[in-house]
Amino acid sequence: MASSSNPNTMDTDPPGGGTLSIAVERNPPESRLLQLGVKSWPKWGCPTGKFPVKFDARETCYLVKGKVRAHIKGSSECVEFGAGDLVVFPKGLSCTWDVLAAVDKYYKFDSS
């Protein structure tokens, strides 16, 4: 039985506690946002600055405005995302958000 090893798959975390990473889907089509029900999700915003974030659940968010550079804890990896991006943070990820432009986003936590 074959399995997909596509590193860009947005709905799976690495098996066996591998390095967690942030998945960014740049400018998804409106049809995808409607399918996900993004505009029914709660909204959240923050000003510029740096702060630590730990994800106790998988979060999917859609940035309406802003720009963030996320530095993943224990890694040299840095991921940038901003207005128009759909972003998935896996459960257990710790990072520092360097908010370069004030953020306004829709977000959803997975219940599992």
Side-chain angles (χ1 to χ4, degrees), residues 34-85:
L34 288 170
Q35 175 192 27
L36 293 169
V38 166
K39 295 201 173 158
S40 68
W41 298 351
K43 282 183 97 174
W44 180 86
C46 71
T48 57
K50 284 188 179 187
F51 57 94
V53 184
K54 178 160 190 334
F55 293 89
D56 295 324
R58 182 175 182 261
E59 179 186 331
T60 303
C61 68
Y62 176 74
L63 274 74
V64 178
K65 69 177 190 178
K67 185 171 184 174
V68 176
R69 184 177 295 135
H71 302 272
I72 298 173
K73 186 177 179 178
S75 166
S76 59
E77 185 180 359
C78 176
V79 178
E80 281 194 23
F81 48 91
D85 291 341

